[in-house]
Amino acid sequence: QVQLVESGGGLVQPGGSLRLSCAASGSIRSMYVMRWHRQAPGKERELVAVIMSGGNTYYADSVKGRFTISRDNAKNTMYLQMNSLKPEDTAVYYCNADVTPLGEGLNSYWGQGTQVTVSS
């Protein structure tokens, strides 16, 4: 079984920074695309950033230039550096990864989410 665990959320003032982590554990053979999503109260979940196994990245327009996604393949961990945070960035942030566990086919896994609140 594969588990994803997010950490690093919290309360920050507008203009501040946070760094989220997503650690994958379990019987992992390969990890492919990894993503950060977020869901604000009363809104649908939205894709924030994507990173391929080779390092190529994609960002939603709303976070481009402020957020940076990265990964450490040796540690099966993904990060989201969030700078210049705005109140509209307030949401629960979820990590998602396409993983091939040992002895199984490709599956998509989700973390439990971490709350990010941007407020003065």
Side-chain angles (χ1 to χ4, degrees), residues 104-120:
E104 298 183 31
L106 183 67
N107 280 303
S108 184
Y109 294 87
W110 289 83
Q112 81 289 349
T114 186
Q115 176 71 47
V116 171
T117 303
V118 185
S119 175
S120 55

Side-chain angles (χ1 to χ4, degrees), residues 34-78:
M34 301 185 76
R35 310 169 188 87
W36 286 100
H37 301 251
R38 67 186 181 186
Q39 187 166 19
K43 295 188 177 181
E44 293 187 354
R45 189 171 296 188
E46 64 172 342
L47 179 64
V48 175
V50 181
I51 186 164
M52 309 301 182
S53 56
N56 288 345
T57 57
Y58 158 84
Y59 297 94
D61 286 344
S62 58
V63 306
K64 203 172 293 184
R66 300 187 298 121
F67 290 10
T68 302
I69 190 172
S70 61
R71 63 192 286 171
D72 184 335
N73 291 331
K75 296 181 179 180
N76 288 332
T77 301
M78 173 177 64

